[in-house]
Amino acid sequence: MREALAEARSAAARGEVPVGAAVVLDGKIISRAGNRTIGDCDPSAHAEIIALREAAQSIGNYRLLGASLYVTIEPCAMCAGAMIQARLARLIYGADDPKAGAVRSCFSILDSERLNHRVEITPGVLAPEAIALLQEFFAARR
């Protein structure tokens, strides 16, 4: 999670909302990313999506079986859907997102019995640090 927080800090330094992610497989980080929606002019360039894409490229398979995704904030519906498609084993995230969280705050996509894959969820890891990054970023914008 500390690597994801470092990516979030880098995103903030670029003027992006400070969200960071890292994909771990077999105990090694195989990808990491921060938000790039503004810089890439791409609404899908969330940290999670970029990290999942790069992880798939690094192992040569779009199915990330056995992989874990660490992300600083609760993923949105788009990112949660991508995790299902990637067959991600586990999500570890920091802060809940009461406005757009699709893991437990607004929706519960990852453990929906209507879908063909479930993702193990561990919330709240280093949440105070993730919340502080977001609060500092948005306070500076006001």
Side-chain angles (χ1 to χ4, degrees), residues 17-69:
V17 174
V19 178
V23 177
V24 174
L25 182 63
D26 297 328
K28 294 190 301 191
I29 295 174
I30 60 171
S31 69
R32 64 185 89 211
N35 270 0
R36 295 195 323 224
T37 55
I38 297 167
D40 288 3
C41 197
D42 179 355
S44 72
H46 290 195
E48 301 96 309
I49 298 294
I50 297 164
L52 290 171
R53 284 179 184 152
E54 290 179 3
Q57 289 294 314
S58 76
I59 66 168
N61 192 337
Y62 72 99
R63 295 256 168 111
L64 300 173
L65 302 174
S68 297
L69 174 67

Side-chain angles (χ1 to χ4, degrees), residues 84 102-104 107-115 117-121:
I84 297 287
V103 174
R104 71 180 195 176
F107 304 102
S108 298
I109 292 172
L110 296 182
D111 57 6
S112 173
E113 292 180 9
R114 299 178 76 179
L115 297 174
H117 180 72
R118 310 279 176 295
V119 177
E120 180 185 337
I121 305 161

Side-chain angles (χ1 to χ4, degrees), residues 67-89:
S68 297
L69 174 67
Y70 290 78
V71 64
T72 57
I73 192 165
E74 179 182 4
C76 70
M78 173 183 67
C79 294
M83 290 176 220
I84 297 287
Q85 296 301 314
R87 303 299 190 265
L88 195 72

